């Protein structure tokens, strides 16, 4: 699945209305970290976001979005370090196939793929068979190492609005970016 730098996504939607966004962005997205280099921003916690908008902007500018576009046959979306996964996470601690996201009975669920180091959804261990329901903002921890966050379109719009307010209050311009598919 294609990835889009958060800054590029933000730049393409910053001047659009809520209605335009929700009419065009229908698929949920996963937010993955672009693994930070030494000295780059750490994830902001809720208290810090209110106090230091610059940190919020710096953190989100390091993220990558993956739209979850399930195949027509509704096959689960695979996540892992193997190059044949739908969502590839380049970290040695993550299993070749770590987890699956699937749409079941009008809800999204994450299932562990029998991985070596396990999968958690908001700190709850994810079982292999039935999985755990996810909603906007659910943090999925892969192999006790990498956090990805699931967002429905409404939740992703909330993130964009929060980053827009933080960027305006700090006058931080979006970084230069390059979109690759």
């Amino acid at each position: 699945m294609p990835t889009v730098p958060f800054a590029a996504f933000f730049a393409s939607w910053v001047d659009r209305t809520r209605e335009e966004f929700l009419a065009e962005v229908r698929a949920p997205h996963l937010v993955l970290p672009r693994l930070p280099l030494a000295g780059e921003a750490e994830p902001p916690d809720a208290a810090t976001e209110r106090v230091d908008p610059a940190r919020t902007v710096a953190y989100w500018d390091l993220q990558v979005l993956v739209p979850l576009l399930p195949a027509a046959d509704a096959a689960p979306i695979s996540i892992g370090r193997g190059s044949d996964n739908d969502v590839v996470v380049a970290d040695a601690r993550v299993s070749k196939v770590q987890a699956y996201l699937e749409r079941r009975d009008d809800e999204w669920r994450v299932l562990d793929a029998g991985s070596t180091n396990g999968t958690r959804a908001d700190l709850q261990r994810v079982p292999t068979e039935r999985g755990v329901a996810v909603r906007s903002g659910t943090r999925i921890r892969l192999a006790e190492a990498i956090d990805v966050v699931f967002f429905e379109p409404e939740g992703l719009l909330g993130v964009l609005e929060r980053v827009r307010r933080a960027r305006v209050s700090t006058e931080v311009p979006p970084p230069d970016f390059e979109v690759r598919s």
Side-chain angles (χ1 to χ4, degrees):
M1 293 187 169
T3 63
V4 179
F6 181 85
F9 188 82
F10 177 84
S12 69
W13 289 102
V14 69
D15 294 324
R16 304 273 187 93
T17 67
R18 175 182 193 79
E19 292 74 24
E20 289 172 322
F21 181 88
L22 294 175
E24 291 186 39
V25 178
R26 294 196 174 119
H29 284 66
L30 277 184
V31 176
L32 285 78
R34 180 196 60 125
L35 299 178
L37 304 171
E40 287 185 328
E42 294 294 319
D45 59 31
T48 305
E49 286 184 73
R50 285 188 217 78
V51 176
D52 187 359
R55 186 170 174 200
T56 297
V57 171
Y59 170 74
W60 283 102
D61 281 347
L62 293 176
Q63 306 308 300
V64 176
L65 296 173
V66 180
L68 300 177
L69 307 170
D73 63 2
I77 295 166
S78 61
I79 304 169
R81 78 168 190 277
S83 61
D84 55 344
N85 285 291
D86 297 309
V87 178
V88 177
V89 178
D91 187 291
R93 297 166 290 186
V94 174
S95 292
K96 286 182 183 175
V97 179
Q98 177 76 33
Y100 295 101
L101 273 168
E102 68 178 17
R103 184 104 174 131
R104 236 192 242 178
D105 302 324
D106 293 328
E107 70 179 0
W108 282 91
R109 299 185 77 74
V110 62
L111 295 87
D112 185 74
S115 65
T116 303
N117 295 317
T119 303
R120 295 184 180 275
D122 288 338
L123 303 178
Q124 176 184 356
R125 186 169 270 303
V126 173
T128 305
E129 296 290 319
R130 65 184 190 283
V132 173
V134 294
R135 55 180 170 58
S136 262
T138 297
R139 187 172 303 274
I140 301 167
R141 176 157 284 181
L142 307 172
E144 299 296 338
I146 302 292
D147 286 341
V148 300
V149 184
F150 176 88
F151 283 104
E152 293 280 2
E154 283 273 348
L156 185 56
L157 180 60
V159 169
L160 289 173
E161 290 170 345
R162 187 169 71 226
V163 171
R164 179 184 347 203
R165 286 190 305 271
R167 198 176 293 286
V168 166
S169 72
T170 59
E171 300 178 1
V172 175
D176 292 331
F177 56 83
E178 175 183 329
V179 178
R180 287 180 258 148
S181 36

